[in-house]
Amino acid sequence: MRIIMTCEPEEAEALAKLIAGEISTFERNGRGLGWGWHYSLPNGRTFFLRQIKNGISATPFKGRP
């Protein structure tokens, strides 16, 4: 599984732990590519975790359009 994170260096460890805890959720949901959730780190910054072809990507969440 590939994990792609777009974050500040000081957020990387917390974001990686968050993703690791959610891998089973993505495996169980079966909703397919592009589907995901948004999560907040303890520092208050929110990220969108999305299922991609070969893993999970995490990008800063800018809100709904």
Side-chain angles (χ1 to χ4, degrees), residues 24-32 35-37 51:
S24 63
T25 302
F26 279 92
E27 290 174 340
R28 284 192 318 260
N29 81 36
R31 293 191 180 200
W35 199 81
W37 298 271
Q51 186 172 347

Side-chain angles (χ1 to χ4, degrees), residues 31-65:
R31 293 191 180 200
L33 301 178
W35 199 81
W37 298 271
H38 60 274
Y39 296 91
S40 293
L41 293 181
N43 69 0
R45 193 151 179 228
T46 303
F47 288 84
F48 189 75
L49 274 60
R50 176 185 328 267
Q51 186 172 347
I52 58 175
K53 184 176 181 179
N54 54 0
I56 297 173
S57 73
T59 55
F61 182 70
K62 296 179 171 76
R64 293 186 174 95

Side-chain angles (χ1 to χ4, degrees), residues 5-20:
M5 301 187 307
T6 304
C7 64
E8 298 298 326
E10 61 272 9
E11 298 169 325
E13 184 177 349
L15 189 54
K17 287 180 182 178
L18 174 70
I19 292 170

